[in-house]
Amino acid sequence: MPNEAQFQRNPDFIFRKIADELVLVPIRQDVANMDSIYTLNSVGAFIWAHLAQPSSQADIQQAVLGEYEADQETLMADLARFLGEMTAIGAVREV
């Protein structure tokens, strides 16, 4: 798939572990928007870390399959939904 979209995290979002929560917080002009805090599970945090570099959905899928036991069809659907939701809030963008 040579023309497959590449995704990368938006540097205007910071990721933090606070107590037992893994959260994304949007930063606008060096100010955190505390009304828009997003909680990630461990798989979401793994994907977020992987998105430090541009990655295709297939690349991310292979990385997740290498780290977690998952049904490939379920993973494909969940990953597409995750990327769609993260793109919709501006945390991830196509590059």
Side-chain angles (χ1 to χ4, degrees):
M1 293 183 209
N3 292 328
E4 188 172 353
Q6 298 279 307
F7 296 91
Q8 188 170 14
R9 62 189 185 197
N10 181 344
D12 291 338
F13 279 71
I14 58 168
F15 173 80
R16 294 287 186 265
K17 181 176 182 181
I18 302 172
D20 291 332
E21 298 285 325
L22 305 168
V23 297
L24 285 178
V25 180
I27 303 296
R28 306 280 189 263
Q29 297 175 339
D30 295 328
V31 176
N33 182 351
M34 301 310 278
D35 294 330
S36 301
I37 296 176
Y38 305 96
T39 303
L40 300 179
N41 64 19
S42 62
V43 178
F46 177 83
I47 295 168
W48 181 259
H50 192 78
L51 290 170
Q53 300 297 319
S55 301
S56 69
Q57 188 168 337
D59 292 337
I60 299 165
Q61 180 180 330
Q62 289 305 311
V64 172
L65 285 172
E67 189 73 19
Y68 297 92
E69 279 192 37
D71 172 71
Q72 191 162 353
E73 280 187 37
T74 302
L75 174 59
M76 287 173 59
D78 289 351
L79 181 56
R81 188 177 73 242
F82 178 82
L83 290 173
E85 290 173 1
M86 291 292 104
T87 301
I89 65 169
V92 171
R93 52 187 168 197
E94 285 189 44
V95 291

